[in-house]
């Protein structure tokens, strides 16, 4: 076979392979937009940005291969996906209106149940100085490792579970509200603590959802429906949802609790086999923040690497005046 013909055959095969990948990624991308129909499609939706980037890369390759029509279509699909999915976080309109208000800070972190350097987490918490900390994967190993925080965070609830990866926990500098005990639910994956913030009450919720389809995430969200429906008027939810903010899973949680979703936090998780430096660029945005009521979220961003496979999420918020009067306080055990 002549060299020119061999070259053309190789180019044709490469073009066909790129077209197959482009069509596959575009179909998976399209399926994810119908994620209310079946949990399997929601699993695809979590990777929307990655599929969009892959479709765009195929578009560039097709452009170089001079398949202009297919290249243009792939690039348009990629651009529309990326532009329509990720939006930077912006403060709620009107946040802080009505004069100066005290600012508070929450830090959300999936500890990683087998973290190799717990002192790094404690150092991160000390550096950020949050008023409240919500934690996931508080395993048996972690229970003792959190003891040094008792002096700074004397108000706490650490849920119990038989799951070896651990439960959720809420640690607070601010007192819990007397007569409204914190509680755990869903085998330790959900905790609620009514906390006093300078005479104003907000329920802080820590949540850790399981893996998406084919695992039991959808069923877990359905089971949590009653807990979400009975939350108070002013609530801040934070946790590892194992789901992207545009997913049906996150929408269903927000709908059940009447909550607003903080968008634009950015990637928070990446498999430990991959370099940490890639987490903020190609990781999955699966740690979520939601709120409602007289609470205004001013900012929600990823914090410094604490050695887990998740980045912390730092949330700054205020509480507007409401009907709450002076609150009697009690130290949690």
């Amino acid at each position: 076979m002549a060299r020119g013909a061999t070259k053309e055959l190789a180019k044709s095969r490469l073009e066909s392979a790129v077209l197959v990948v482009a069509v596959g990624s575009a179909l998976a991308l399209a399926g994810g937009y119908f994620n209310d129909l079946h949990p399997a499609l929601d699993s695809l939706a979590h990777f929307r940005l990655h599929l969009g980037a892959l479709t765009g890369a195929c578009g560039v390759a097709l452009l170089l291969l001079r398949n202009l029509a297919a290249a243009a279509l792939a690039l348009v699909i990629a651009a529309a996906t990326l532009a329509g999915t990720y939006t930077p976080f912006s403060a709620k309109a009107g946040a802080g209106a009505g004069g100066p208000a005290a600012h508070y800070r929450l830090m959300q972190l999936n500890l990683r149940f087998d973290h190799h350097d717990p002192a790094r987490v404690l150092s991160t918490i000390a550096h950020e100085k949050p008023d409240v900390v919500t934690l996931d994967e508080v395993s048996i190993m972690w229970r003792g490792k959190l003891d040094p925080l008792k002096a700074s965070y004397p108000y706490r609830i650490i849920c119990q579970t038989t799951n070896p990866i651990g439960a959720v926990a809420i640690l607070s500098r601010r007192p819990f509200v007397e007569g409204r005990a914190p509680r755990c639910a869903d085998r330790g994956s959900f905790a609620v603590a009514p906390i006093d913030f300078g005479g104003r009450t907000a329920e802080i919720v820590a949540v850790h959802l399981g893996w998406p389809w084919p695992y039991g995430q959808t069923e877990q969200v359905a089971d949590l429906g009653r807990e979400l429906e009975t939350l108070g008027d002013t609530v801040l939810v934070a946790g590892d949802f194992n789901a992207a903010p545009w997913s049906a899973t996150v929408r269903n949680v927000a709908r059940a609790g009447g909550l607003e979703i903080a968008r634009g936090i950015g990637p928070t998780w990446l498999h430990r086999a991959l370099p940490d430096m890639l987490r903020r660029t190609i990781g999955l945005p699966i740690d979520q923040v939601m709120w409602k009521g007289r609470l205004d979220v001013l900012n929600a961003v990823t914090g410094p690497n604490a050695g887990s496979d998740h980045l912390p999420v730092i949330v700054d918020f205020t509480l507007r005046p409401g009907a709450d009067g002076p609150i009697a306080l009690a130290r949690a055990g």
Side-chain angles (χ1 to χ4, degrees):
M1 185 181 290
R3 181 178 300 177
T6 302
K7 185 176 180 181
E8 284 300 315
L9 178 60
K11 178 186 174 185
S12 176
R13 288 176 174 173
L14 177 59
E15 183 178 338
S16 296
V18 174
L19 278 169
V20 167
V21 174
V23 170
S25 62
L27 288 175
L29 189 59
Y33 281 95
F34 295 92
N35 54 359
D36 282 319
L37 299 179
H38 193 277
L41 298 178
D42 203 33
S43 293
L44 290 176
H46 302 317
F47 297 93
R48 183 173 295 169
L49 288 174
H50 299 78
L51 290 168
L54 177 58
T55 304
C58 289
V60 172
L62 290 168
L63 188 63
L64 295 174
L65 291 167
R66 300 187 184 280
N67 188 334
L68 300 184
L73 180 59
L75 291 172
V76 167
I77 291 172
T81 299
L82 300 178
T85 301
Y86 177 76
T87 54
F89 181 84
S90 59
K92 181 180 176 181
H103 288 199
Y104 303 101
R105 173 166 288 189
L106 177 145
M107 189 175 94
Q108 151 62 26
L109 177 62
N110 183 318
L111 292 170
R112 177 76 197 192
F113 70 98
D114 60 351
H115 198 296
H116 65 283
D117 186 12
R120 188 170 176 184
V121 170
L122 304 186
S123 176
T124 301
I125 293 173
H127 179 265
E128 294 297 327
K129 297 181 175 62
D131 297 274
V132 183
V133 184
T134 55
L135 300 172
D136 307 307
E137 296 195 15
V138 184
S139 59
I140 293 175
M141 178 275 287
W142 269 108
R143 290 176 183 271
K145 301 297 184 182
L146 294 174
D147 285 347
L149 294 175
K150 281 184 176 179
S152 299
Y153 296 89
Y155 307 95
R156 53 176 52 198
I157 178 171
I158 301 177
C159 297
Q160 302 290 327
T161 184
T162 58
N163 190 329
I165 71 166
V168 299
I170 301 173
L171 314 180
S172 178
R173 296 180 185 272
R174 306 280 172 172
F176 292 167
V177 177
E178 185 177 4
R180 295 175 58 185
R183 68 183 188 276
C184 296
D186 194 42
R187 299 176 295 279
S189 70
F190 187 90
V192 183
I195 297 178
D196 169 57
F197 294 93
R200 298 169 188 170
T201 301
E203 285 185 333
I204 302 299
V205 178
V207 61
H208 188 192
L209 298 183
W211 290 356
W213 185 93
Y215 299 93
Q217 185 182 87
T218 301
E219 293 76 14
Q220 183 184 8
V221 171
D223 290 342
L224 284 172
R226 177 61 179 167
E227 295 292 337
L228 293 163
E229 290 170 0
T230 57
L231 292 174
D233 295 331
T234 300
V235 180
L236 180 59
V237 178
D240 172 10
F241 280 57
N242 277 304
W246 51 81
S247 66
T249 292
V250 172
R251 285 200 305 272
N252 289 338
V253 171
R255 187 181 300 119
L259 300 158
E260 185 169 350
I261 304 166
R263 301 185 185 275
I265 294 172
T268 58
W269 175 84
L270 188 67
H271 194 281
R272 298 183 86 185
L274 297 172
D276 286 342
M277 68 180 69
L278 298 178
R279 186 172 290 113
R280 296 181 190 272
T281 54
I282 67 169
L284 283 172
I286 61 175
D287 291 83
Q288 310 302 339
V289 174
M290 302 179 183
W291 75 94
K292 70 174 180 179
R294 296 188 305 277
L295 188 147
D296 290 324
V297 172
L298 305 177
N299 200 22
V301 297
T302 52
N305 190 339
S308 172
D309 52 350
H310 289 250
L311 291 171
V313 177
I314 310 299
V315 185
D316 293 310
F317 64 97
T318 64
L319 286 162
R320 286 175 270 117
D324 290 332
I327 298 172
L329 308 175
R331 179 180 295 264

PDB file of all heavy atoms in Angstrom, residues 138-168:
ATOM      1  N   VAL A 138     -16.714  10.660  60.637  1.00  0.00           N
ATOM      2  CA  VAL A 138     -16.120  10.646  61.980  1.00  0.00           C
ATOM      3  C   VAL A 138     -16.114   9.185  62.438  1.00  0.00           C
ATOM      4  O   VAL A 138     -17.061   8.689  63.045  1.00  0.00           O
ATOM      5  CB  VAL A 138     -16.911  11.533  62.961  1.00  0.00           C
ATOM      6  CG1 VAL A 138     -16.211  11.574  64.304  1.00  0.00           C
ATOM      7  CG2 VAL A 138     -17.050  12.943  62.396  1.00  0.00           C
ATOM      8  N   SER A 139     -15.034   8.499  62.136  1.00  0.00           N
ATOM      9  CA  SER A 139     -14.888   7.089  62.454  1.00  0.00           C
ATOM     10  C   SER A 139     -14.448   6.918  63.907  1.00  0.00           C
ATOM     11  O   SER A 139     -14.202   7.889  64.630  1.00  0.00           O
ATOM     12  CB  SER A 139     -13.858   6.450  61.519  1.00  0.00           C
ATOM     13  OG  SER A 139     -12.604   7.105  61.668  1.00  0.00           O
ATOM     14  N   ILE A 140     -14.326   5.678  64.336  1.00  0.00           N
ATOM     15  CA  ILE A 140     -13.861   5.402  65.699  1.00  0.00           C
ATOM     16  C   ILE A 140     -12.501   6.034  65.921  1.00  0.00           C
ATOM     17  O   ILE A 140     -12.224   6.609  66.978  1.00  0.00           O
ATOM     18  CB  ILE A 140     -13.827   3.876  65.942  1.00  0.00           C
ATOM     19  CG1 ILE A 140     -15.245   3.311  65.946  1.00  0.00           C
ATOM     20  CG2 ILE A 140     -13.118   3.566  67.257  1.00  0.00           C
ATOM     21  CD1 ILE A 140     -15.307   1.812  66.057  1.00  0.00           C
ATOM     22  N   MET A 141     -11.627   5.958  64.931  1.00  0.00           N
ATOM     23  CA  MET A 141     -10.304   6.568  65.051  1.00  0.00           C
ATOM     24  C   MET A 141     -10.406   8.061  65.326  1.00  0.00           C
ATOM     25  O   MET A 141      -9.662   8.605  66.149  1.00  0.00           O
ATOM     26  CB  MET A 141      -9.518   6.319  63.757  1.00  0.00           C
ATOM     27  CG  MET A 141      -8.111   6.942  63.720  1.00  0.00           C
ATOM     28  SD  MET A 141      -8.028   8.687  63.195  1.00  0.00           S
ATOM     29  CE  MET A 141      -8.361   8.559  61.444  1.00  0.00           C
ATOM     30  N   TRP A 142     -11.367   8.731  64.686  1.00  0.00           N
ATOM     31  CA  TRP A 142     -11.466  10.179  64.801  1.00  0.00           C
ATOM     32  C   TRP A 142     -12.032  10.651  66.128  1.00  0.00           C
ATOM     33  O   TRP A 142     -11.770  11.788  66.539  1.00  0.00           O
ATOM     34  CB  TRP A 142     -12.320  10.738  63.670  1.00  0.00           C
ATOM     35  CG  TRP A 142     -11.521  11.119  62.470  1.00  0.00           C
ATOM     36  CD1 TRP A 142     -11.463  10.488  61.267  1.00  0.00           C
ATOM     37  CD2 TRP A 142     -10.628  12.229  62.374  1.00  0.00           C
ATOM     38  NE1 TRP A 142     -10.598  11.136  60.422  1.00  0.00           N
ATOM     39  CE2 TRP A 142     -10.074  12.208  61.077  1.00  0.00           C
ATOM     40  CE3 TRP A 142     -10.230  13.230  63.254  1.00  0.00           C
ATOM     41  CZ2 TRP A 142      -9.157  13.156  60.647  1.00  0.00           C
ATOM     42  CZ3 TRP A 142      -9.323  14.185  62.827  1.00  0.00           C
ATOM     43  CH2 TRP A 142      -8.792  14.142  61.536  1.00  0.00           C
ATOM     44  N   ARG A 143     -12.791   9.834  66.806  1.00  0.00           N
ATOM     45  CA  ARG A 143     -13.454  10.301  68.033  1.00  0.00           C
ATOM     46  C   ARG A 143     -12.445  10.794  69.064  1.00  0.00           C
ATOM     47  O   ARG A 143     -12.615  11.855  69.659  1.00  0.00           O
ATOM     48  CB  ARG A 143     -14.345   9.197  68.605  1.00  0.00           C
ATOM     49  CG  ARG A 143     -15.557   8.951  67.733  1.00  0.00           C
ATOM     50  CD  ARG A 143     -16.418   7.808  68.222  1.00  0.00           C
ATOM     51  NE  ARG A 143     -17.523   7.596  67.300  1.00  0.00           N
ATOM     52  CZ  ARG A 143     -18.699   8.210  67.381  1.00  0.00           C
ATOM     53  NH1 ARG A 143     -18.932   9.063  68.358  1.00  0.00           N
ATOM     54  NH2 ARG A 143     -19.643   7.969  66.500  1.00  0.00           N
ATOM     55  N   GLY A 144     -11.403  10.048  69.273  1.00  0.00           N
ATOM     56  CA  GLY A 144     -10.376  10.492  70.214  1.00  0.00           C
ATOM     57  C   GLY A 144      -9.536  11.628  69.666  1.00  0.00           C
ATOM     58  O   GLY A 144      -9.099  12.509  70.415  1.00  0.00           O
ATOM     59  N   LYS A 145      -9.327  11.641  68.339  1.00  0.00           N
ATOM     60  CA  LYS A 145      -8.485  12.664  67.732  1.00  0.00           C
ATOM     61  C   LYS A 145      -9.114  14.056  67.806  1.00  0.00           C
ATOM     62  O   LYS A 145      -8.404  15.067  67.711  1.00  0.00           O
ATOM     63  CB  LYS A 145      -8.206  12.317  66.263  1.00  0.00           C
ATOM     64  CG  LYS A 145      -7.505  10.978  66.053  1.00  0.00           C
ATOM     65  CD  LYS A 145      -6.130  10.940  66.687  1.00  0.00           C
ATOM     66  CE  LYS A 145      -5.433   9.621  66.380  1.00  0.00           C
ATOM     67  NZ  LYS A 145      -4.095   9.537  67.033  1.00  0.00           N
ATOM     68  N   LEU A 146     -10.445  14.117  67.973  1.00  0.00           N
ATOM     69  CA  LEU A 146     -11.125  15.407  68.056  1.00  0.00           C
ATOM     70  C   LEU A 146     -11.120  15.989  69.470  1.00  0.00           C
ATOM     71  O   LEU A 146     -11.530  17.137  69.665  1.00  0.00           O
ATOM     72  CB  LEU A 146     -12.574  15.274  67.575  1.00  0.00           C
ATOM     73  CG  LEU A 146     -12.762  14.937  66.091  1.00  0.00           C
ATOM     74  CD1 LEU A 146     -14.236  14.692  65.799  1.00  0.00           C
ATOM     75  CD2 LEU A 146     -12.220  16.047  65.200  1.00  0.00           C
ATOM     76  N   ASP A 147     -10.659  15.226  70.450  1.00  0.00           N
ATOM     77  CA  ASP A 147     -10.682  15.692  71.841  1.00  0.00           C
ATOM     78  C   ASP A 147      -9.955  17.012  72.065  1.00  0.00           C
ATOM     79  O   ASP A 147     -10.408  17.843  72.873  1.00  0.00           O
ATOM     80  CB  ASP A 147     -10.107  14.615  72.766  1.00  0.00           C
ATOM     81  CG  ASP A 147     -11.085  13.469  72.979  1.00  0.00           C
ATOM     82  OD1 ASP A 147     -12.266  13.623  72.613  1.00  0.00           O
ATOM     83  OD2 ASP A 147     -10.658  12.413  73.495  1.00  0.00           O
ATOM     84  N   PRO A 148      -8.816  17.279  71.396  1.00  0.00           N
ATOM     85  CA  PRO A 148      -8.147  18.571  71.609  1.00  0.00           C
ATOM     86  C   PRO A 148      -9.001  19.792  71.263  1.00  0.00           C
ATOM     87  O   PRO A 148      -8.689  20.913  71.674  1.00  0.00           O
ATOM     88  CB  PRO A 148      -6.916  18.486  70.691  1.00  0.00           C
ATOM     89  CG  PRO A 148      -6.635  17.028  70.582  1.00  0.00           C
ATOM     90  CD  PRO A 148      -7.987  16.382  70.564  1.00  0.00           C
ATOM     91  N   LEU A 149     -10.092  19.581  70.513  1.00  0.00           N
ATOM     92  CA  LEU A 149     -10.956  20.706  70.133  1.00  0.00           C
ATOM     93  C   LEU A 149     -12.017  21.020  71.182  1.00  0.00           C
ATOM     94  O   LEU A 149     -12.739  22.006  71.048  1.00  0.00           O
ATOM     95  CB  LEU A 149     -11.655  20.403  68.802  1.00  0.00           C
ATOM     96  CG  LEU A 149     -10.759  20.291  67.567  1.00  0.00           C
ATOM     97  CD1 LEU A 149     -11.583  19.857  66.368  1.00  0.00           C
ATOM     98  CD2 LEU A 149     -10.046  21.614  67.280  1.00  0.00           C
ATOM     99  N   LYS A 150     -12.094  20.207  72.239  1.00  0.00           N
ATOM    100  CA  LYS A 150     -13.170  20.389  73.212  1.00  0.00           C
ATOM    101  C   LYS A 150     -13.117  21.749  73.896  1.00  0.00           C
ATOM    102  O   LYS A 150     -14.150  22.351  74.194  1.00  0.00           O
ATOM    103  CB  LYS A 150     -13.111  19.284  74.263  1.00  0.00           C
ATOM    104  CG  LYS A 150     -13.690  17.967  73.786  1.00  0.00           C
ATOM    105  CD  LYS A 150     -13.699  16.937  74.911  1.00  0.00           C
ATOM    106  CE  LYS A 150     -14.363  15.646  74.455  1.00  0.00           C
ATOM    107  NZ  LYS A 150     -14.364  14.615  75.532  1.00  0.00           N
ATOM    108  N   ALA A 151     -11.931  22.250  74.151  1.00  0.00           N
ATOM    109  CA  ALA A 151     -11.813  23.542  74.832  1.00  0.00           C
ATOM    110  C   ALA A 151     -12.370  24.672  73.965  1.00  0.00           C
ATOM    111  O   ALA A 151     -13.035  25.583  74.470  1.00  0.00           O
ATOM    112  CB  ALA A 151     -10.358  23.816  75.194  1.00  0.00           C
ATOM    113  N   SER A 152     -12.091  24.612  72.664  1.00  0.00           N
ATOM    114  CA  SER A 152     -12.565  25.668  71.755  1.00  0.00           C
ATOM    115  C   SER A 152     -13.977  25.425  71.266  1.00  0.00           C
ATOM    116  O   SER A 152     -14.711  26.364  70.956  1.00  0.00           O
ATOM    117  CB  SER A 152     -11.628  25.771  70.542  1.00  0.00           C
ATOM    118  OG  SER A 152     -10.320  26.116  70.940  1.00  0.00           O
ATOM    119  N   TYR A 153     -14.378  24.137  71.206  1.00  0.00           N
ATOM    120  CA  TYR A 153     -15.709  23.774  70.699  1.00  0.00           C
ATOM    121  C   TYR A 153     -16.384  22.859  71.721  1.00  0.00           C
ATOM    122  O   TYR A 153     -16.494  21.649  71.517  1.00  0.00           O
ATOM    123  CB  TYR A 153     -15.578  23.078  69.337  1.00  0.00           C
ATOM    124  CG  TYR A 153     -15.012  23.986  68.272  1.00  0.00           C
ATOM    125  CD1 TYR A 153     -13.635  24.088  68.070  1.00  0.00           C
ATOM    126  CD2 TYR A 153     -15.843  24.779  67.488  1.00  0.00           C
ATOM    127  CE1 TYR A 153     -13.112  24.937  67.118  1.00  0.00           C
ATOM    128  CE2 TYR A 153     -15.333  25.626  66.518  1.00  0.00           C
ATOM    129  CZ  TYR A 153     -13.968  25.714  66.339  1.00  0.00           C
ATOM    130  OH  TYR A 153     -13.447  26.569  65.401  1.00  0.00           O
ATOM    131  N   PRO A 154     -16.846  23.448  72.813  1.00  0.00           N
ATOM    132  CA  PRO A 154     -17.405  22.627  73.893  1.00  0.00           C
ATOM    133  C   PRO A 154     -18.805  22.092  73.617  1.00  0.00           C
ATOM    134  O   PRO A 154     -19.278  21.190  74.302  1.00  0.00           O
ATOM    135  CB  PRO A 154     -17.418  23.590  75.077  1.00  0.00           C
ATOM    136  CG  PRO A 154     -17.551  24.938  74.470  1.00  0.00           C
ATOM    137  CD  PRO A 154     -16.784  24.880  73.180  1.00  0.00           C
ATOM    138  N   TYR A 155     -19.493  22.651  72.626  1.00  0.00           N
ATOM    139  CA  TYR A 155     -20.850  22.229  72.310  1.00  0.00           C
ATOM    140  C   TYR A 155     -20.780  21.333  71.076  1.00  0.00           C
ATOM    141  O   TYR A 155     -20.341  21.765  70.015  1.00  0.00           O
ATOM    142  CB  TYR A 155     -21.742  23.447  72.059  1.00  0.00           C
ATOM    143  CG  TYR A 155     -21.671  24.438  73.191  1.00  0.00           C
ATOM    144  CD1 TYR A 155     -20.801  25.521  73.131  1.00  0.00           C
ATOM    145  CD2 TYR A 155     -22.425  24.256  74.339  1.00  0.00           C
ATOM    146  CE1 TYR A 155     -20.701  26.416  74.186  1.00  0.00           C
ATOM    147  CE2 TYR A 155     -22.343  25.144  75.400  1.00  0.00           C
ATOM    148  CZ  TYR A 155     -21.467  26.221  75.326  1.00  0.00           C
ATOM    149  OH  TYR A 155     -21.374  27.098  76.371  1.00  0.00           O
ATOM    150  N   ARG A 156     -21.197  20.088  71.243  1.00  0.00           N
ATOM    151  CA  ARG A 156     -20.972  19.136  70.165  1.00  0.00           C
ATOM    152  C   ARG A 156     -21.977  18.009  70.176  1.00  0.00           C
ATOM    153  O   ARG A 156     -22.528  17.645  71.207  1.00  0.00           O
ATOM    154  CB  ARG A 156     -19.563  18.548  70.256  1.00  0.00           C
ATOM    155  CG  ARG A 156     -19.238  17.945  71.643  1.00  0.00           C
ATOM    156  CD  ARG A 156     -17.866  17.280  71.681  1.00  0.00           C
ATOM    157  NE  ARG A 156     -16.808  18.161  71.204  1.00  0.00           N
ATOM    158  CZ  ARG A 156     -15.602  17.746  70.802  1.00  0.00           C
ATOM    159  NH1 ARG A 156     -15.310  16.463  70.845  1.00  0.00           N
ATOM    160  NH2 ARG A 156     -14.692  18.596  70.387  1.00  0.00           N
ATOM    161  N   ILE A 157     -22.212  17.470  68.993  1.00  0.00           N
ATOM    162  CA  ILE A 157     -22.942  16.226  68.846  1.00  0.00           C
ATOM    163  C   ILE A 157     -22.189  15.377  67.826  1.00  0.00           C
ATOM    164  O   ILE A 157     -21.899  15.834  66.712  1.00  0.00           O
ATOM    165  CB  ILE A 157     -24.414  16.451  68.422  1.00  0.00           C
ATOM    166  CG1 ILE A 157     -25.106  15.100  68.234  1.00  0.00           C
ATOM    167  CG2 ILE A 157     -24.527  17.320  67.180  1.00  0.00           C
ATOM    168  CD1 ILE A 157     -26.610  15.195  68.040  1.00  0.00           C
ATOM    169  N   ILE A 158     -21.827  14.183  68.235  1.00  0.00           N
ATOM    170  CA  ILE A 158     -21.150  13.228  67.368  1.00  0.00           C
ATOM    171  C   ILE A 158     -22.056  12.001  67.280  1.00  0.00           C
ATOM    172  O   ILE A 158     -22.288  11.322  68.277  1.00  0.00           O
ATOM    173  CB  ILE A 158     -19.760  12.846  67.895  1.00  0.00           C
ATOM    174  CG1 ILE A 158     -18.880  14.094  68.011  1.00  0.00           C
ATOM    175  CG2 ILE A 158     -19.101  11.812  66.982  1.00  0.00           C
ATOM    176  CD1 ILE A 158     -17.494  13.834  68.591  1.00  0.00           C
ATOM    177  N   CYS A 159     -22.591  11.743  66.103  1.00  0.00           N
ATOM    178  CA  CYS A 159     -23.566  10.666  65.951  1.00  0.00           C
ATOM    179  C   CYS A 159     -22.899   9.293  66.024  1.00  0.00           C
ATOM    180  O   CYS A 159     -21.701   9.147  65.767  1.00  0.00           O
ATOM    181  CB  CYS A 159     -24.303  10.828  64.626  1.00  0.00           C
ATOM    182  SG  CYS A 159     -25.276  12.363  64.515  1.00  0.00           S
ATOM    183  N   GLN A 160     -23.698   8.313  66.386  1.00  0.00           N
ATOM    184  CA  GLN A 160     -23.242   6.935  66.474  1.00  0.00           C
ATOM    185  C   GLN A 160     -23.654   6.169  65.218  1.00  0.00           C
ATOM    186  O   GLN A 160     -24.699   6.436  64.629  1.00  0.00           O
ATOM    187  CB  GLN A 160     -23.854   6.255  67.700  1.00  0.00           C
ATOM    188  CG  GLN A 160     -23.544   6.946  69.020  1.00  0.00           C
ATOM    189  CD  GLN A 160     -22.097   6.810  69.428  1.00  0.00           C
ATOM    190  OE1 GLN A 160     -21.459   5.793  69.145  1.00  0.00           O
ATOM    191  NE2 GLN A 160     -21.565   7.814  70.103  1.00  0.00           N
ATOM    192  N   THR A 161     -22.824   5.207  64.827  1.00  0.00           N
ATOM    193  CA  THR A 161     -23.143   4.380  63.671  1.00  0.00           C
ATOM    194  C   THR A 161     -22.344   3.096  63.734  1.00  0.00           C
ATOM    195  O   THR A 161     -21.296   3.029  64.377  1.00  0.00           O
ATOM    196  CB  THR A 161     -22.822   5.120  62.360  1.00  0.00           C
ATOM    197  OG1 THR A 161     -23.232   4.313  61.250  1.00  0.00           O
ATOM    198  CG2 THR A 161     -21.340   5.405  62.237  1.00  0.00           C
ATOM    199  N   THR A 162     -22.851   2.085  63.058  1.00  0.00           N
ATOM    200  CA  THR A 162     -22.095   0.840  62.904  1.00  0.00           C
ATOM    201  C   THR A 162     -21.287   0.831  61.617  1.00  0.00           C
ATOM    202  O   THR A 162     -20.535  -0.103  61.357  1.00  0.00           O
ATOM    203  CB  THR A 162     -23.057  -0.363  62.901  1.00  0.00           C
ATOM    204  OG1 THR A 162     -24.011  -0.203  61.837  1.00  0.00           O
ATOM    205  CG2 THR A 162     -23.805  -0.468  64.224  1.00  0.00           C
ATOM    206  N   ASN A 163     -21.451   1.865  60.801  1.00  0.00           N
ATOM    207  CA  ASN A 163     -20.716   1.977  59.548  1.00  0.00           C
ATOM    208  C   ASN A 163     -19.249   2.269  59.842  1.00  0.00           C
ATOM    209  O   ASN A 163     -18.935   3.242  60.540  1.00  0.00           O
ATOM    210  CB  ASN A 163     -21.318   3.102  58.704  1.00  0.00           C
ATOM    211  CG  ASN A 163     -20.778   3.124  57.298  1.00  0.00           C
ATOM    212  OD1 ASN A 163     -19.639   2.750  57.033  1.00  0.00           O
ATOM    213  ND2 ASN A 163     -21.600   3.580  56.364  1.00  0.00           N
ATOM    214  N   PRO A 164     -18.316   1.484  59.341  1.00  0.00           N
ATOM    215  CA  PRO A 164     -16.899   1.704  59.661  1.00  0.00           C
ATOM    216  C   PRO A 164     -16.342   3.031  59.168  1.00  0.00           C
ATOM    217  O   PRO A 164     -15.325   3.494  59.693  1.00  0.00           O
ATOM    218  CB  PRO A 164     -16.189   0.522  58.991  1.00  0.00           C
ATOM    219  CG  PRO A 164     -17.150   0.021  57.962  1.00  0.00           C
ATOM    220  CD  PRO A 164     -18.512   0.278  58.505  1.00  0.00           C
ATOM    221  N   ILE A 165     -16.986   3.651  58.169  1.00  0.00           N
ATOM    222  CA  ILE A 165     -16.454   4.945  57.725  1.00  0.00           C
ATOM    223  C   ILE A 165     -16.878   6.081  58.641  1.00  0.00           C
ATOM    224  O   ILE A 165     -16.390   7.202  58.511  1.00  0.00           O
ATOM    225  CB  ILE A 165     -16.847   5.277  56.273  1.00  0.00           C
ATOM    226  CG1 ILE A 165     -18.330   5.612  56.171  1.00  0.00           C
ATOM    227  CG2 ILE A 165     -16.447   4.183  55.328  1.00  0.00           C
ATOM    228  CD1 ILE A 165     -18.698   6.267  54.867  1.00  0.00           C
ATOM    229  N   GLY A 166     -17.778   5.815  59.588  1.00  0.00           N
ATOM    230  CA  GLY A 166     -18.116   6.818  60.583  1.00  0.00           C
ATOM    231  C   GLY A 166     -19.393   7.576  60.301  1.00  0.00           C
ATOM    232  O   GLY A 166     -20.083   7.341  59.301  1.00  0.00           O
ATOM    233  N   ALA A 167     -19.677   8.515  61.196  1.00  0.00           N
ATOM    234  CA  ALA A 167     -20.920   9.283  61.170  1.00  0.00           C
ATOM    235  C   ALA A 167     -20.615  10.767  60.994  1.00  0.00           C
ATOM    236  O   ALA A 167     -19.472  11.161  60.791  1.00  0.00           O
ATOM    237  CB  ALA A 167     -21.694   9.045  62.471  1.00  0.00           C
ATOM    238  N   VAL A 168     -21.659  11.582  61.111  1.00  0.00           N
ATOM    239  CA  VAL A 168     -21.483  13.030  61.039  1.00  0.00           C
ATOM    240  C   VAL A 168     -21.363  13.609  62.446  1.00  0.00           C
ATOM    241  O   VAL A 168     -21.716  12.964  63.435  1.00  0.00           O
ATOM    242  CB  VAL A 168     -22.647  13.713  60.287  1.00  0.00           C
ATOM    243  CG1 VAL A 168     -22.735  13.199  58.864  1.00  0.00           C
ATOM    244  CG2 VAL A 168     -23.965  13.518  61.026  1.00  0.00           C
TER     245      VAL A 168
END
